[in-house]
Amino acid sequence: MCCLVLLLLVFIAEAASKSWDLASNYSINSNPNGQWTYGYLSSGSFIPFTRSQSAVSSGDEWSDAARSCTMWKNTKGYSACGIDVNKVSLSCDSCTISAKWTAPYAHYYYVSIVMGNTYASSGGCTGNVKSSGSALTINAVSYALTYSSSYIYTYSGYHFLYSNQTIVVSIAQNYGAGNTQAVINIVEVDSPSTVPSISPTVIPSSVPSNSPTNYPSLSPHSISVISTIAGTGTGSYSGDNGQATAATFSIPTGIVIDSSGNVYFNNWNNHRVRKIAASTGIITTYAGTGSASYSGDGGQASSAALYNPDGLCIDTAGKKNF
């Protein structure tokens, strides 16, 4: 039998050139709101806002219970604080405001961010973005915001994200109760070598240095991206608790995906069932000890012994059967 030591997935979707803009998508009706979740950071943890109101003088607002951390859209033509009409302000007093975006499906995305306080001609109470407290994380990987002038920070780049992976933009300020206008655009890109049109124009004329390379050529009406999600090409067993692309296994069979996007497959020749977490890409052994025998009923699957597991399915209750 030929040993298969790579896992490949093909993603096919209708082209729609979808885009997600923080200001255009903003709503106080729900949180999360579609792909967006509004919140703040506390001790390194992301906490979604639970309080919303549209009665404030500036516009529609999300905040914590004390209103020390607020995110608001200038729907009422508020003329102060340097926040343009229908743009979103991230305002904090001893906190760090965050906007989190969750990828709806596996795809290339172009991310464009501008944060600062010199947009409108009026002002007087604008906050200054503080680079040491502001952050951008894409699938839990940190990226630097670029300082330009007058406390304006920008970022742009291409990224391939799997379903449910996240982009989190957080801002801190040099003094309390300030306001920072945040323009965040995320665009689905079929051909990553082509720069999408986004306003305001902060897009580089060439592909950013932090972009992936070797882009596939895609038709304008469908997307067929083939990617190795696990395996190095070596027929052995290794890599648990690390990235699946650095793991090894021998004769994977019976690939299934659960409702959360986690991938399960039989490691036939290693007498195990492996799992790849959708949110992190980390691979673990779901069942089997590596011993080619039969034991373990009534106990943890990871402590059971299997012999060349082959078929694999997930039933309507989410149970894995092999």
Side-chain angles (χ1 to χ4, degrees):
M1 179 181 292
C2 178
C3 292
L4 302 176
V5 292
L6 294 177
L7 289 182
L8 301 176
L9 289 184
V10 177
F11 304 100
I12 300 177
E14 294 296 323
S17 299
K18 293 182 178 179
S19 62
W20 295 264
D21 173 69
L22 177 63
S24 298
N25 299 150
Y26 187 87
S27 172
I28 60 167
N29 294 327
S30 62
N31 189 25
N33 168 35
Q35 307 312 125
W36 296 98
T37 305
Y38 318 121
Y40 62 101
L41 296 183
S42 178
S43 301
S45 299
F46 178 83
I47 302 175
F49 287 133
T50 57
R51 175 187 178 185
S52 66
Q53 58 179 353
S54 59
V56 294
S57 61
S58 55
D60 298 337
E61 176 187 285
W62 284 96
S63 69
D64 61 351
R67 284 193 73 198
S68 60
C69 307
T70 62
M71 178 182 296
W72 54 272
K73 182 177 179 179
N74 187 6
T75 56
K76 299 184 178 181
Y78 192 52
S79 60
C81 294
I83 305 302
D84 292 334
V85 175
N86 290 324
K87 295 299 183 181
V88 173
S89 165
L90 308 182
S91 308
C92 57
D93 183 4
S94 302
C95 63
T96 301
I97 304 296
S98 297
K100 180 168 71 173
W101 183 85
T102 303
Y105 39 75
H107 209 286
Y108 285 111
Y109 297 97
Y110 189 90
V111 183
S112 173
I113 299 167
V114 185
M115 298 195 299
N117 66 327
T118 60
Y119 291 89
S121 58
S122 59
C125 63
T126 54
N128 293 330
V129 180
K130 184 169 62 174
S131 61
S132 61
S134 300
L136 167 64
T137 59
I138 300 178
N139 189 27
V141 177
S142 297
Y143 292 86
L145 297 166
T146 301
Y147 173 80
S148 56
S149 63
S150 301
Y151 296 98
I152 298 294
Y153 287 84
T154 64
Y155 174 86
S156 58
Y158 297 103
H159 296 271
F160 185 87
L161 297 180
Y162 288 104
S163 174
N164 295 321
Q165 291 185 330
T166 61
I167 298 171
V168 181
V169 182
S170 303
I171 70 107
Q173 293 170 327
N174 283 329
Y175 52 85
N179 293 272
T180 296
Q181 181 164 305
V183 178
I184 305 173
N185 295 276
I186 300 170
V187 182
E188 174 189 287
V189 184
D190 291 349
S191 300
S193 60
T194 302
V195 176
S197 176
I198 301 176
S199 181
T201 305
V202 292
I203 312 303
S205 59
S206 60
V207 176
S209 60
N210 61 355
S211 301
T213 57
N214 301 320
Y215 296 112
S217 176
L218 306 177
S219 73
H221 300 295
S222 66
I223 303 163
S224 300
V225 182
I226 187 165
S227 304
T228 299
I229 66 167
T232 64
T234 300
S236 62
Y237 171 78
S238 69
D240 267 5
N241 302 310
Q243 289 295 312
T245 50
T248 62
F249 32 83
S250 180
I251 313 182
T253 64
I255 304 170
V256 296
I257 303 175
D258 67 15
S259 59
S260 298
N262 301 308
V263 177
Y264 299 83
F265 63 94
N266 295 310
N267 204 159
W268 189 88
N269 208 36
N270 300 130
H271 315 293
R272 295 174 171 92
V273 177
R274 310 286 286 277
K275 172 186 175 182
I276 304 171
S279 60
T280 62
I282 298 295
I283 189 169
T284 55
T285 294
Y286 180 78
T289 63
S291 175
S293 61
Y294 170 79
S295 68
D297 273 5
Q300 292 294 317
S302 57
S303 299
L306 310 175
Y307 186 81
N308 296 140
D310 194 3
L312 180 61
C313 68
I314 301 176
D315 65 21
T316 55
K319 295 179 180 179
K320 289 76 181 176
N321 302 280
F322 48 87

